[in-house]
Structures are given as structure tokens and as C-alpha cells.
Amino acid sequence: MRQEILRLEDVTYKKEDMIIFRNMMLNIMDGEVMGLCPLNTYGLDELLEVIISNPPLYYGYVYYQERCVNSWKETGHGRNRICIIGSETSLVNGLSVVTNIFTLRAGFGKELVNEHILARQLVPFLEEIGISLDPFMLVDNLTSYERVLVELLRAIVAGYRLIIFREIGTVISEEELKSLHQIMHYYTGKKFSFLYISFHFEEIQQICRRAALMSEGNIDLIFEEEQVQKGVSNALYLDYYNHVSHRVHHHVRASGEEVLLVRDMSGRYLDHFRFRVYKGECLVIQSLDTQIYKEMLEILNQEDGRLHADMVIRGKRVKGYASRQVAFLKEEPSQTMLFEHLSVRDNLCIALDGKLPSIWRKKGTQKSVREEYARIFGEDIFDQYIHELTLEQRINVVYMRILLEKPDVVFIVQPFKHAGTPHRLQIWELLTLLLERGIAIVILAMNMSDSLTVADRVIRINRVNGKMVTKEFTQEQFAELPLYVPWVEFFDELEEKETAEEET
Amino acid sequence: MFVCMDRGVAIPESIWIFLGLVGVTVAVGYFWIGKPYRKLIAQIQRFSDGYISLQDMNEMDVALAPEIERMIRHINKLVTSARNLDMSKRQAQYRALQNQINPHFLYNTLEGIRSEAIIAGLDNLGDMTEALAVFFRYTISKVENLVTVEEELENCSIYFKIQQYRFGNRIRLKVQMDPEDKDDILHCLIPKLTLQPILENSIIHGVELKVDEGLVTIDITRTKTRLLIRVTDDGVGMDRKTLDKLNAKLGSKEEEVKNYTRPEKGGVALVNVNNRVHLIFGEEYGMHVYSLENVGTSVELTIPVVMNENELKKKELE
């Protein structure tokens, strides 16, 4: 007989007098990997809060391991034994792996800790999932994948029956994701359950037998195994799909002059990696190895302005970003790259003061900038402070800054990360706008997400037997990419159509 | 007696006693008046928003004054008597209809048609008539409140067989349950005519409107305390507005009252099944609908595991 690990029964949740979701029903059985595919982020944080923290409910019941832990009649006490593993670490830096796994958990009552005994206790856990890890290593030195595994082991050791993976595909590489899926399968055999949250149904298809589709804070449909395997992505993102497919059909980008050549990018893992980008071209560099990815980001995001790679822009060697010919957008730039307590106008002036140091004094220039961009982004946001803006407006400001800077090349790290369908569509439009203005884009990613729809070329980079291996795909070769990469099926269909047209 | 402070200023003991009394009064006020008052307000709010029924209000253990409790009981009595009157009216209508139909006359006629069909070599017509006779026998004759899952599934397959004469191979039915729990599941008790209306809904509003072949799946899972029945179809689905409206109807306890006084059109079968489940098993059980346009619909019904009627009576007493 199966056990129900989690059940939300008819839950209505209100926050600040606003109903976030109404009549929510969700259940997860033991030994199950349940997928959750949100079309937008609305209500997602609150849903996780209801699952984990037992906040007061307006109506409904929450059951964990078939026991009512929270209801509208009586608010639950404390948190449920459920953990979330996502892009932020929950490990305590400065402490070893073994300390994080064993001693920093509820119920660990020993006062004298012998790390060697704990390390011996950890060995069977590591052996059963076939990984080797130094138990005494400080967690600061772990790779992203190792960090995820340590968090998973900590949850397993603590006896958490439900573990939530939130957009884990954006944190670890494809190869590591496959290994993680195997480990998850192993634990489902031991009756542990997982809630696997991803914005891409293709990723959910790889691991989940059932999946819930969520939009505007509601669970729209629960997909059973057959439906999950059949794939319903086109129906899910119909507007987005139609929009993008129409544009990709009409997208012809002439390969213009070479604007950037990066050569001799070397480090511990990178070995004389080189690539070139042309004017108005979008190149996606997808790393299948987290170490390489991390190293590449470290080299390209040199905050001291000194690049550890040979970078040639329009035939001239540059030594950093001081020339402002190259721009760099970090992950989630709308949260990390704007000055919160300055107005939008001031944020834009900062972007321009490299080229026009007098921008702060020249009200006329400021006015013309405002007029030019008000047509695209609307008039009302210029005098607002960043912290007053919606996410959509913040994303606009980030890309407006790039448009103002007019660099030859912009490096963008996982632009679609944490974005629901409407924001993905918005980012897609903004990237297309940059390309139309002749700015070359280099997307650095571990998870392809929607990058394929905007890409002209893809370089996949991996480590095989300790050696770096790269493979390049032009747009005509996109159909050769693995099927689980989002949008590959679209290019497959495109290729078939073109072949059919040629034959007729 | 004086209590000495650091700076040598003495505070009379009476002040301490006074402060103690104030503390006790505040605590008593909070636990006996404040907390129950807040609880009562929350309940009245949920009642006005349609989340809980009058009966649930009546069962609550909070009342500020015996008068309020009496008032709620009285309102409940008024509503229940109106409901009972309506129910007895409906029952009388149902009985009259049943008498008009005369089950034996109906079965004999159907049996006659079947024999004629077989003699004429129309085997399909014979089978169809037989299926119809069995379906009517189950629907009209059996008056029990609870039946086994096996009986309900049997009725579903007969209903599906009749529908297949209309749709041919355009519709398929799949019933799945964990083989380990199959015996247990089949012997669980559920309200009569619970599954067939859901199946009918899936066919009529889901796969019938679809151009291609449609599949309806009945999936039953048993846990320690619950029976989870999921009827899924890959039909045309429904838009968000209709879905929200339907789920609000299913979630609202107002419907229990509303339905007896003025029946509404649209989603009535599901709402009725849901109301019966609420009335028999309580508000923690019931139905929820998931749907996505052009992808499909899934109806999930949750009921407690009941193996015999005595168990249910025992639970009611508890």
C-alpha cells in the first residue's frame, strides 16, 4: 500500500489580504518524482511556503505523511521535514562536508563530535550512490554538483521524505543532471519522494512520471505518465511557440564582419579555448561541465578589468572591459546589476558616463535619451526608483542600459534563468532587439533553456578523460542536438519542412 | 511588608499583587474571550465567503454567548427543514418516476427486444440491449447508498460499452490500479453512481468534441486512509474561466444549500457527486477538476477508505 507523502487539500492562501491561490489540490506519493512546471513565477514561492513552513491558511488542509500538519482551523507548528535544493546553497561555509551533513541537523544531540566516526558513517551513503567525496573538505571548495549532492545527502540522513529540487538544471551541467537523476531514481526505490520544479517541460520529461502544470498560482493540470512522455510543450507555451516560430522562420542574419575573437582562453580546465563572433550574431556557449563553466565565467567576468584570455575586438587587442566595447550581464541582472536606490534615469546615466562623461550635466542629452527609449519602454518608468519597479520593468532597464552603451559584444550569463513564460518572451524580444542593432551576443549557459531560439551558432564544450572537447553546431545542425534540449524538436520540424519544400 | 529595590525604594506588596491580578485578568481575557472571538470571526468570514457550511459552523466549539450558539442552531434548523422538504419532494418525484417506469416492465421489454434481435441475427443490437438493461437495473433498482468499487467499475464499463456503439473505436477506456492493492481497492465502498457521472462528463465534454481518437483513464490508488480516484481524458479541455468557476462551485459549501433550493445548469453532475461525498464523508474529502484547453481534463476524487458500512457509522460517531 502506498503512502501519500504530501497532500494539499482545497487550500486557499491569502497574503496581505490578497488571495494568492484558491482551492489548491496537490498530492505526492512515496517513491515518486513529481514534476512541477510553472508557466510563470506567480504564487510559486507562496506554494513552497505553504508546503514547508505551515503558514496560517485561509482555508484547506495540509497533510504530510498522511498526518494533518496545517489547517485553516489550527495553524501548524513549525516546519515540515521537507528541504529545498536550488541555486542558493544552504550549507554552512567554513565547515566540512561531514559536519554539514551530520551535525547541522535537527535531532543531532551529541555534544562531543568525532568527525572521523561521522566520516565512517558517511561512507555507506556515498558508496550506495557511487560517488566519492572527501568528507573533511570545506564546503566552500565544493563544485556546484558536489554541493547539490551534499545537500541531498544531508536531507536523506536527516530522514526528510520529501526533497524539492528547484530549477536544478540551471545550477549543474547536463551530464551531472543525468547522474543526479540516477541518484534520485535510487532514492525513489527507498521511498523518498521528490518535487522537481523546472520551467522547461523537456527537463521534467526526463525524470518525472507525473507532472503538474502551474500558472497564475493555480495547478492547471496533472499530467499522467503517458501524457508526460507524449510531451505537450507546444500546447503549454502556445503563444510563445507561435510567436517565436513565426520570427525564426523569417530570421535571416547575414554574417557580417568579425567583431570578437577570443583565443588562448586557458586555465585549470580550459585548454586554449577559442571562438569568434560576428556583428549581430548570437553565439551560445553551452558548457556540459560545471568546472569549465565556472572557470569560463571567472575569466570573462574579470572585475579587476584584466582578462586572462587573448581578446581581439575589431582587430585590436583589448585587456578588459574598460573600453566599454564589451559588456557583461551576470545571471539575473535585474536583481544584481541595477542600483536599487537610484532612479532609472540615473541608472541609465551611469551606463553612458563612460562614453559621455558630461551626461550628468547635460539635461538636453538626458531628454533625448528619454525620448528615444520612451517609445520602446514607455514614458512612466524614467523617474521611478529601481526598487519601485516591477520585474518586467527592471528587465527593460537592464537591456536599455546595454542599448545605450552600444558595445560591440555583450556576454550574457543564462539570460532565461528563473523566468516564467511571459518574461522569457520579453527577454527573447530584447535579445532580438540587441541583435537587430548590430550588437553581437555571447550567451554562456549550462542549461540551454530558450537560447536555441535566438542562437545562430552553438558551441558545446565538455571534458572527456580530463581533456577539453568542443563541438560547434550551426543553425542548420541544431536538429542534431540531443532531443531533450528545449526547442530541438522545433528545429527538427523546420528541417523536415524545408526538405519537403525542396523535394516539391 | 515591603519589597526592596536596588536603589532602596520599596514597592508595597499590594502593588505586586495588583500587577499579578492584572496579568491573570489579561491572560484569562486572551484565552477565554480574545482567542475564541478571533476564531469565531474567522469562521463567520469563511462562512460568508462560502468556504464552510452552516452545519460546520454549528459543529464548531466556539461561541461567545449561548444566545449566538442558539441562533446558529435555529438558522441551521430552518435551512435543514427547507432542505429536507425539498429532498422529500425530490424523492417523491423520483419514486413517481420509478413507478411510471416500472422496472420489471422495462427489463421484460428490453429482454424481448434482445431476443428478437438475436433471432433476427442482429447480435450487436442484442448485446446493446442487454447492456442497457444491466445499466438500468443498476441505476434504478439498487437503492443502497454505498456500493463497492468493483460494482461501480462494472457499471462504468457497461455505460462505456453503450457509448462505444455510438463512437466505435474513437473512444478507449483504461482502468488502472496498483496490482498489489487491487483486491483491497475493489472491495472499498464508495457512494453509488459516483464514477459513472464523471466518466460521462469526460466523454460528453472531453473526448466527444475531439477530432481524433480519445482516451479516458480511470486510475485508482489506495493509501492507508484514502482512496484516490482520478478520471483523466485527453479531450478538448476547458478554458481557465470555466475551470475556476467549476472548482469554486466544488469548493464552496454554499452549493450544498443552493442545489437543493434552485438547481443550476452546467457541471451539475460533478457538483452533485461532490455534495454527496461531502455529506457522507465530510468536507475534507471531495472532488477537484484540473484542465487545460486542447490538452485534457482530469477529475480527482478523494474519499476515505471504508470497507464496510459499520466502519462509516463508527467514524460518524467519533
Side-chain angles (χ1 to χ4, degrees):
Chain A
M1 194 183 306
R2 297 189 73 181
Q3 191 191 27
E4 211 173 23
I5 293 294
L6 179 80
R7 163 165 285 271
L8 303 188
E9 179 87 30
D10 220 3
V11 174
T12 298
Y13 183 53
K14 256 184 173 181
K15 211 172 183 183
E16 288 160 9
D17 273 342
M18 210 173 81
I19 289 186
I20 308 291
F21 45 79
R22 198 191 284 271
N23 305 120
M24 170 76 79
M25 296 277 269
L26 180 71
N27 78 317
I28 301 173
M29 305 299 289
D30 59 355
E32 177 180 50
V33 184
M34 175 82 177
L36 179 66
C37 182
L39 290 187
N40 46 49
T41 49
Y42 182 81
L44 182 61
D45 289 331
E46 288 81 3
L47 174 65
L48 295 178
E49 194 185 333
V50 167
I51 291 176
I52 297 171
S53 315
N54 293 328
L57 302 177
Y58 189 70
Y59 187 71
Y61 304 83
V62 179
Y63 298 86
Y64 181 61
Q65 292 187 291
E66 302 202 10
R67 204 169 54 83
C68 185
V69 287
N70 193 14
S71 79
W72 71 276
K73 289 176 191 164
E74 201 165 339
T75 305
H77 302 289
R79 293 161 65 92
N80 298 325
R81 292 169 68 78
I82 299 171
C83 86
I84 297 192
I85 303 176
S87 49
E88 300 291 322
T89 178
S90 64
L91 300 177
V92 180
N93 283 337
L95 296 179
S96 69
V97 168
V98 77
T99 310
N100 266 284
I101 291 177
F102 286 101
T103 54
L104 298 179
R105 66 179 167 91
F108 184 82
K110 287 181 185 167
E111 283 170 18
L112 289 171
V113 179
N114 185 336
E115 282 207 336
H116 289 275
I117 293 175
L118 295 179
R120 274 207 298 279
Q121 285 175 2
L122 182 64
V123 173
F125 286 99
L126 295 173
E127 277 174 355
E128 64 184 7
I129 54 172
I131 57 163
S132 60
L133 204 61
D134 177 7
F136 304 108
M137 189 198 272
L138 292 183
V139 291
D140 318 45
N141 303 327
L142 295 175
T143 64
S144 303
Y145 180 56
E146 287 167 344
R147 190 266 294 173
V148 168
L149 289 180
V150 171
E151 285 187 40
L152 175 64
L153 280 174
R154 188 180 55 178
I156 298 286
V157 168
Y160 287 18
R161 305 309 295 184
L162 179 63
I163 297 154
I164 301 171
F165 279 110
R166 186 174 182 171
E167 279 194 89
I168 209 71
T170 58
V171 183
I172 57 176
S173 72
E174 268 178 34
E175 302 284 316
E176 290 162 346
L177 199 62
K178 276 185 205 162
S179 316
L180 180 68
H181 288 173
Q182 279 172 5
I183 293 170
M184 283 163 73
H185 273 307
Y186 173 77
Y187 283 122
T188 51
K190 291 192 151 195
K191 301 281 181 193
F192 285 93
S193 305
F194 298 91
L195 178 64
Y196 194 90
I197 304 171
S198 169
F199 285 103
H200 289 282
F201 205 77
E202 291 87 344
E203 195 181 321
I204 283 173
Q205 274 177 313
Q206 291 176 60
I207 176 84
C208 304
R209 293 186 118 189
R210 280 201 312 141
L213 176 78
M214 184 178 172
S215 74
E216 307 292 341
N218 286 307
I219 301 280
D220 286 338
L221 192 60
I222 307 262
F223 294 96
E224 295 301 321
E225 195 175 355
E226 266 181 46
Q227 280 173 304
V228 170
Q229 290 318 316
K230 215 161 80 183
V232 279
S233 309
N234 295 357
L236 297 187
Y237 319 113
L238 205 60
D239 292 343
Y240 189 22
Y241 184 84
N242 288 342
H243 187 86
V244 171
S245 56
H246 177 76
R247 296 281 282 268
V248 173
H249 274 296
H250 295 89
H251 143 117
V252 184
R253 267 179 224 135
S255 56
E257 56 178 306
E258 179 185 296
V259 284
L260 171 76
L261 168 67
V262 176
R263 58 192 174 202
D264 284 340
M265 193 192 273
S266 296
R268 244 180 102 189
Y269 308 102
L270 283 161
D271 182 18
H272 299 285
F273 177 52
R274 59 182 290 148
F275 59 90
R276 59 184 78 228
V277 197
Y278 300 93
K279 190 179 175 186
E281 187 201 34
C282 177
L283 169 71
V284 177
I285 302 177
Q286 186 196 11
S287 173
L288 303 179
D289 183 279
T290 30
Q291 304 285 44
I292 288 186
Y293 178 73
K294 216 171 145 191
E295 192 171 80
M296 195 158 56
L297 286 193
E298 273 167 17
I299 293 175
L300 290 173
N301 183 23
Q302 290 287 301
E303 286 186 356
D304 59 358
R306 287 172 55 227
L307 279 164
H308 293 279
D310 199 2
M311 194 185 273
V312 180
I313 294 180
R314 293 185 187 277
K316 283 183 189 166
R317 274 187 80 182
V318 288
K319 287 197 169 180
Y321 296 128
S323 66
R324 305 229 176 180
Q325 282 176 294
V326 185
F328 195 94
L329 286 187
K330 293 178 189 175
E331 266 182 15
E332 295 184 84
S334 57
Q335 307 298 329
T336 54
M337 294 187 73
L338 295 174
F339 296 94
E340 290 283 326
H341 298 291
L342 292 183
S343 67
V344 172
R345 194 191 55 207
D346 292 342
N347 269 277
L348 295 178
C349 287
I350 289 170
L352 261 186
D353 72 355
K355 282 183 181 167
L356 277 172
S358 55
I359 182 78
W360 298 98
R361 281 177 281 115
K362 287 188 175 172
K363 299 286 175 199
T365 319
Q366 286 182 20
K367 200 181 159 198
S368 57
V369 167
R370 186 188 182 113
E371 278 168 7
E372 189 186 342
Y373 288 98
R375 268 178 276 144
I376 311 172
F377 300 107
E379 173 70 33
D380 53 333
I381 65 166
F382 285 89
D383 298 318
Q384 289 188 53
Y385 285 91
I386 296 295
H387 61 83
E388 295 169 347
L389 301 182
T390 61
L391 179 60
E392 190 186 337
Q393 289 172 323
R394 293 170 82 109
I395 295 171
N396 277 340
V397 176
V398 168
Y399 284 88
M400 218 191 305
R401 278 177 57 172
I402 302 294
L403 283 168
L404 269 175
E405 280 182 38
K406 280 186 192 145
D408 290 309
V409 187
V410 55
F411 288 100
I412 308 180
V413 185
Q414 311 214 84
F416 298 99
K417 190 176 175 180
H418 290 329
T421 313
H423 293 131
R424 274 154 56 195
L425 189 57
Q426 184 197 358
I427 293 167
W428 190 89
E429 286 287 358
L430 291 164
L431 292 175
T432 314
L433 186 65
L434 295 184
L435 294 170
E436 279 168 4
R437 301 260 169 124
I439 299 170
I441 297 175
V442 181
I443 293 177
L444 306 168
M446 276 205 297
N447 182 305
M448 282 295 275
S449 187
D450 296 321
S451 305
L452 212 57
T453 56
V454 77
D456 295 288
R457 271 186 305 137
V458 172
I459 297 176
R460 275 160 73 95
I461 178 166
N462 198 1
R463 238 177 349 142
V464 179
N465 300 328
K467 278 190 175 178
M468 187 191 85
V469 181
T470 60
K471 195 172 179 192
E472 191 173 319
F473 299 79
T474 59
Q475 209 183 56
E476 293 76 38
Q477 295 165 319
F478 283 175
E480 293 168 23
L481 286 162
L483 263 180
Y484 52 79
V485 173
W487 295 94
V488 163
E489 276 184 37
F490 168 74
F491 284 96
D492 229 1
E493 283 167 24
L494 203 69
E495 199 183 62
E496 276 172 23
K497 268 186 201 166
E498 277 168 9
T499 324
E501 274 169 24
E502 274 170 24
E503 279 171 7
T504 52
Chain B
M1 280 271 267
F2 291 91
V3 177
C4 291
M5 300 293 283
D6 283 351
R7 280 185 289 166
V9 183
I11 297 173
E13 199 182 41
S14 57
I15 290 185
W16 286 113
I17 293 167
F18 174 74
L19 286 174
L21 279 174
V22 169
V24 170
T25 315
V26 168
V28 167
Y30 175 74
F31 286 108
W32 284 13
I33 300 169
K35 220 176 156 189
Y37 176 75
R38 269 175 36 205
K39 221 171 166 181
L40 185 72
I41 291 296
Q43 280 164 20
I44 292 172
Q45 245 176 22
R46 268 60 160 191
F47 173 70
S48 353
D49 289 352
Y51 282 99
I52 61 169
S53 63
L54 206 57
Q55 200 185 342
D56 298 327
M57 283 276 286
N58 202 29
E59 283 165 8
M60 295 295 174
D61 53 344
V62 214
L64 275 187
E67 285 75 18
I68 293 178
E69 209 172 325
R70 258 175 48 208
M71 186 187 73
I72 292 173
R73 235 183 287 145
H74 185 65
I75 297 172
N76 198 19
K77 217 190 281 174
L78 288 177
V79 174
T80 318
S81 60
R83 189 190 292 180
N84 285 343
L85 194 71
D86 195 64
M87 268 174 82
S88 57
K89 227 193 280 175
R90 276 168 176 247
Q91 209 164 11
Q93 280 172 356
Y94 179 70
R95 287 273 175 220
L97 199 68
Q98 216 175 16
N99 288 339
Q100 272 172 19
I101 293 169
N102 190 347
H104 291 292
F105 172 70
L106 183 75
Y107 305 145
N108 290 342
T109 314
L110 286 172
E111 191 52 42
I113 298 172
R114 185 174 164 256
S115 315
E116 287 294 321
I118 292 170
I119 292 164
L122 300 169
D123 290 349
N124 265 354
L125 186 61
D127 288 348
M128 197 174 168
T129 318
E130 191 191 4
L132 198 64
V134 176
F135 180 72
F136 276 136
R137 203 183 292 265
Y138 182 81
T139 314
I140 302 170
S141 310
K142 290 195 168 183
V143 285
E144 302 96 331
N145 202 14
L146 296 178
V147 292
T148 61
V149 171
E150 193 172 11
E151 283 173 300
E152 268 297 287
L153 285 176
E154 184 60 34
N155 186 47
C156 281
S157 68
I158 287 168
Y159 172 77
F160 192 78
K161 196 175 165 187
I162 296 168
Q163 287 289 15
Q164 262 191 324
Y165 285 108
R166 192 176 149 206
F167 295 104
N169 291 331
R170 254 191 66 208
I171 53 170
R172 283 188 299 131
L173 176 68
K174 201 162 114 183
V175 179
Q176 53 193 35
M177 56 191 96
D178 196 338
E180 271 182 31
D181 300 329
K182 195 176 173 182
D183 277 351
D184 260 3
I185 290 172
L186 291 177
H187 288 101
C188 284
L189 295 179
I190 57 173
K192 192 184 166 189
L193 290 176
T194 307
L195 291 186
Q196 185 270 330
I198 305 175
L199 177 65
E200 186 177 336
N201 228 62
S202 296
I203 295 173
I204 307 298
H205 300 292
V207 291
E208 186 186 336
L209 307 170
K210 198 183 165 191
V211 184
D212 309 323
E213 189 183 274
L215 171 71
V216 183
T217 312
I218 301 177
D219 183 273
I220 309 177
T221 311
R222 198 217 140 147
T223 70
K224 210 163 66 185
T225 52
R226 285 163 201 269
L227 204 60
L228 312 172
I229 303 171
R230 211 173 287 124
V231 182
T232 311
D233 69 73
D234 58 358
V236 292
M238 63 183 98
D239 59 61
R240 164 54 71 77
K241 217 173 146 189
T242 318
L243 178 69
D244 284 350
K245 223 169 143 186
L246 182 58
N247 276 326
K249 261 186 189 178
L250 294 172
S252 169
K253 305 300 173 289
E254 275 173 11
E255 291 298 322
E256 284 169 22
V257 180
K258 222 194 271 176
N259 249 1
Y260 288 104
T261 49
R262 49 180 175 89
E264 272 180 49
K265 280 186 178 174
V268 175
L270 297 186
V271 176
N272 279 343
V273 171
N274 189 48
N275 287 349
R276 272 164 50 215
V277 171
H278 277 163
L279 289 172
I280 299 171
F281 302 117
E283 58 165 274
E284 291 155 65
Y285 304 95
M287 190 187 283
H288 191 82
V289 182
Y290 306 96
S291 188
L292 190 66
E293 230 174 338
N294 302 319
V295 178
T297 303
S298 178
V299 178
E300 195 177 282
L301 180 68
T302 321
I303 45 181
V305 172
V306 179
M307 300 305 276
N308 56 60
E309 293 211 29
N310 290 341
E311 244 175 71
L312 186 67
K313 278 175 195 154
K314 208 171 140 192
K315 271 181 194 167
E316 268 170 18
L317 285 174
E318 274 169 14

